[in-house]
Amino acid sequence: MDKFRMIFQFLQSNQESFMNGICGIMALASAQMYSAFDFNCPCLPGYNMAYSMGILLTPPLVLFLLGLVMNNNISMLAEEWKRPAGRRAKDPAVLRYMFCSMAQRALIAPVVWVAVTLLDGKCFLCAFCTAVPVATLGNGSLVPGLPATELARLLARVPCPEIYDGNWLLAREVAVRYLRCISQALGWSFVLLTTLLAFVVRSVRPCFTQAAFLKSKYWSHYIDIERKLFDETCTEHAKAFAKVCIQQFFEAMNHDLELGHTHGVLATATATPTTAEAAQSPSDRTEEEKEKLRGITDQGTMNKLLTSWHECKPPLRLGQEAPLMGNGWAGSEPRPPRKEVATYFSKV
């Protein structure tokens, strides 16, 4: 258990590296999924294109959504976006930075799927087999004598060698090589364009907007750390609250049982404090438990604190005299001082 706890703590402290690893695993999984996928082109006019586009676009969309779902920051982004402004206004630049950071990682697996699909060529072959230039690659003299529906039916069977019967019009191997060549060219072009785009986004963009980039990055990290500290503080308070509640219950039950005896219980009963005494004078609690409770000892006060934290988060300033700007992130309008997460519990 200690090893698992150490691994979990390491992953929590290195969340960015962990998410990069998850994205890499999903990228490899997407390539492995495609290699294991049994591609069966329907070889029917009108159905080939729909089937191929579904294979090309649906799995990347699913992988993209999975990449967002597996990112822990998606709930933090939604919470920050939907929360009331209160005494801390929302900065759209921070929200955009958070979403872009998540989207960049979530797009890795879909990009790998599309690239592998195009480089393999089966999907492109199935989708555009009816668009092969028969007059150029095949027996063009026979094309004018064929109805359009019959020509489309013959060409739609090109991806299916077991049922293709149009070699007298167009050699199947010629059509397959022609379409796979185009598909691979599109695949490598797609890889090149996505690589260049990633380079521009990751390297060039911060050079032109360095100040805004640093601000968005800092406050994005702040929101993440603040949420973790608040969750940790709530967990510590809940543990201390439950421990004291259970102790009081056992003490009360022990006192009731002692009162039920008829002989030899007076000295023991007087030595045991009542429930009210335990609540008013928690001498049996440790100093650590007192600190974790922070003066919040009932359900109503705790619910009020949580509601206040959601609806009116403290402004982002630490000093009494520090000004606060109208956007809520730094200063011109005097407001109450920002309370730290621990102090917030005791001051609510």
Side-chain angles (χ1 to χ4, degrees):
M1 287 300 294
D2 292 337
K3 292 182 178 180
F4 286 110
R5 188 180 296 108
M6 291 175 60
I7 293 174
F8 181 72
Q9 291 175 351
F10 173 78
L11 294 178
Q12 279 189 325
S13 61
N14 298 272
Q15 187 176 9
E16 185 173 357
S17 301
F18 174 65
M19 290 309 305
N20 291 336
I22 289 293
C23 293
I25 292 174
M26 289 187 64
L28 294 176
S30 65
Q32 187 65 28
M33 284 169 55
Y34 182 82
S35 63
F37 178 72
D38 188 13
F39 187 88
N40 292 312
C41 184
C43 296
L44 293 171
Y47 289 90
N48 287 9
M49 178 66 73
Y51 178 79
S52 301
M53 291 299 101
I55 297 300
L56 182 65
L57 301 178
T58 303
L61 178 60
V62 174
L63 291 171
F64 177 73
L65 294 177
L66 283 176
L68 292 179
V69 169
M70 295 180 66
N71 196 317
N72 295 330
N73 292 333
I74 187 65
S75 59
M76 181 180 66
L77 174 62
E79 178 183 341
E80 184 67 17
W81 178 46
K82 293 296 294 182
R83 71 169 177 83
R87 290 186 292 167
R88 183 191 300 180
K90 293 178 281 188
D91 191 342
V94 177
L95 298 178
R96 285 195 301 269
Y97 175 84
M98 294 168 62
F99 177 77
C100 291
S101 299
M102 290 185 293
Q104 288 173 16
R105 293 187 176 94
L107 280 172
I108 296 177
V111 166
V112 171
W113 177 276
V114 174
V116 171
T117 303
L118 290 176
L119 291 174
D120 182 64
K122 293 179 183 177
C123 189
F124 190 87
L125 172 64
C126 180
F128 296 99
C129 58
T130 56
V132 174
V134 180
T136 304
L137 303 177
N139 193 348
S141 60
L142 299 177
V143 175
L146 285 175
T149 55
E150 181 65 17
L151 179 62
R153 186 188 66 82
L154 287 174
L155 294 178
R157 294 182 177 182
V158 169
C160 306
E162 62 277 3
I163 63 173
Y164 180 67
D165 55 355
N167 284 313
W168 54 273
L169 178 65
L170 174 67
R172 180 183 178 276
E173 186 64 22
V174 174
V176 170
R177 286 178 177 271
Y178 173 78
L179 292 175
R180 281 195 170 178
C181 177
I182 297 177
S183 179
Q184 290 178 357
L186 291 175
W188 284 115
S189 299
F190 177 76
V191 172
L192 177 61
L193 289 175
T194 53
T195 304
L196 289 175
L197 181 62
F199 172 77
V200 170
V201 171
R202 299 286 292 180
S203 302
V204 178
R205 184 181 65 85
C207 296
F208 293 98
T209 58
Q210 185 66 17
F213 176 77
L214 290 177
K215 290 178 183 178
S216 300
K217 184 177 181 180
Y218 176 87
W219 290 115
S220 173
H221 290 169
Y222 172 84
I223 292 172
D224 184 26
I225 294 172
E226 183 187 59
R227 184 190 184 193
K228 289 179 181 177
L229 289 176
F230 185 79
D231 290 343
E232 291 175 3
T233 307
C234 287
T235 301
E236 292 176 359
H237 184 276
K239 288 181 180 179
F241 193 92
K243 186 173 183 180
V244 173
C245 219
I246 293 171
Q247 287 176 348
Q248 291 183 1
F249 173 78
F250 273 85
E251 290 170 359
M253 289 298 297
N254 184 34
H255 180 68
D256 292 343
L257 290 174
E258 288 173 348
L259 289 179
H261 291 290
T262 55
H263 301 289
V265 296
L266 182 57
T268 307
T270 54
T272 304
T274 63
T275 304
E277 292 171 346
Q280 295 173 358
S281 305
S283 57
D284 57 335
R285 304 174 196 165
T286 63
E287 292 298 325
E288 183 179 358
E289 289 170 356
K290 291 181 183 179
E291 183 180 355
K292 290 178 181 178
L293 283 176
R294 306 184 191 282
I296 302 172
T297 56
D298 62 272
Q299 184 178 11
T301 306
M302 190 64 200
N303 290 338
K304 181 181 178 182
L305 179 143
L306 296 175
T307 302
S308 176
W309 179 262
H310 172 70
E311 295 180 351
C312 190
K313 286 189 177 181
L316 295 175
R317 62 189 180 93
L318 299 177
Q320 291 281 351
E321 303 299 330
L324 181 70
M325 290 179 63
N327 62 6
W329 293 83
S332 69
E333 181 182 342
R335 297 285 182 90
R338 177 191 181 273
K339 307 175 183 67
E340 296 179 358
V341 173
T343 309
Y344 182 85
F345 268 73
S346 59
K347 300 282 188 179
V348 76

